[in-house]
Amino acid sequence: DVKVTQSSRYLVKRTGEKVFLECVQDMDHENMFWYRQDPGLGLRLIYFSYDVKMKEKGDIPEGYSVSREKKERFSLILESASTNQTSMYLCASSRGGLGNEQFFGPGTRLTVL
Amino acid sequence: RKEVEQDPGPFNVPEGATVAFNCTYSNSASQSFFWYRQDCRKEPKLLMSVYSSGNEDGRFTAQLNRASQYISLLIRDSKLSDSATYLCVVNQAGTALIFGKGTTLSVSS
């Protein structure tokens, strides 16, 4: 059974803190993605990676960075959290071409106070 | 830039009803198309791919009209368990999937 896991289901941080969100997949997928999902705005792509140490900006990369040191792990970093980064963060992975089915993790609900 | 547009709904239907969702996409070079389902407070999951010839999976039928650049999802004999948000998803060559904002369906007894 395919599996994408995220390090936390709920996270509360303070403005200015550095925040790490971890995602691990066990399907040996090449591609990994980070999205945020907000009411009325849908899923918005932050960053994606198609190979180890490779990363590409999505639609809303500002205020975020990513790291992919190993194939199975993709980290999202908020260098200095702000209240407008309060959101649901979803990680996904897919094999091969970028247009293939994506498998999502359960999400991390991040609140920045 | 609205690459994938869906009617957000909500669509409120009784059990047993037939309901249809439409989705339009802006880029004529789009190559592959999907419907994902997202239950409340859960992650999105693939419901079905959409093929040029149209395809059916039980009570669900997906169709693609490339000339008019729209995709549809038909649900027959709606069940309470069909209540969810349905996301239209489009892919262009060399890019990540593009998700619509979703259409919410509520099926009541």
Side-chain angles (χ1 to χ4, degrees), chain B residues 41-58:
Chain B
R41 287 190 278 273
K42 297 279 192 178
E43 71 273 21
K45 293 184 179 180
L46 179 68
L47 177 66
M48 58 197 300
S49 301
V50 186
Y51 303 118
S52 296
S53 55
N55 48 299
E56 192 172 303
D57 183 2

Side-chain angles (χ1 to χ4, degrees), chain A residues 40-105:
Chain A
L41 298 178
L43 277 166
R44 291 183 290 168
L45 182 63
I46 304 171
Y47 268 97
F48 65 98
S49 168
Y50 53 87
D51 201 352
V52 176
K53 296 192 186 293
M54 305 303 291
K55 60 184 179 183
E56 294 283 343
K57 292 180 180 179
D59 297 320
I60 52 162
E62 298 78 19
Y64 304 94
S65 61
V66 291
S67 172
R68 192 159 181 210
E69 296 297 318
K70 293 184 177 182
K71 190 175 185 180
E72 67 271 18
R73 188 179 297 269
F74 193 35
S75 303
L76 180 69
I77 303 147
L78 287 66
E79 294 290 341
S80 178
S82 62
T83 55
N84 62 14
Q85 292 178 310
T86 292
S87 186
M88 170 65 82
Y89 289 87
L90 288 156
C91 174
S93 71
S94 70
R95 61 168 177 80
L98 291 172
N100 289 331
E101 177 186 359
Q102 290 184 13
F103 295 86
F104 284 83

Side-chain angles (χ1 to χ4, degrees), chain B residues 8 18 49 66:
Chain B
T18 295
S49 301
R66 284 191 184 271

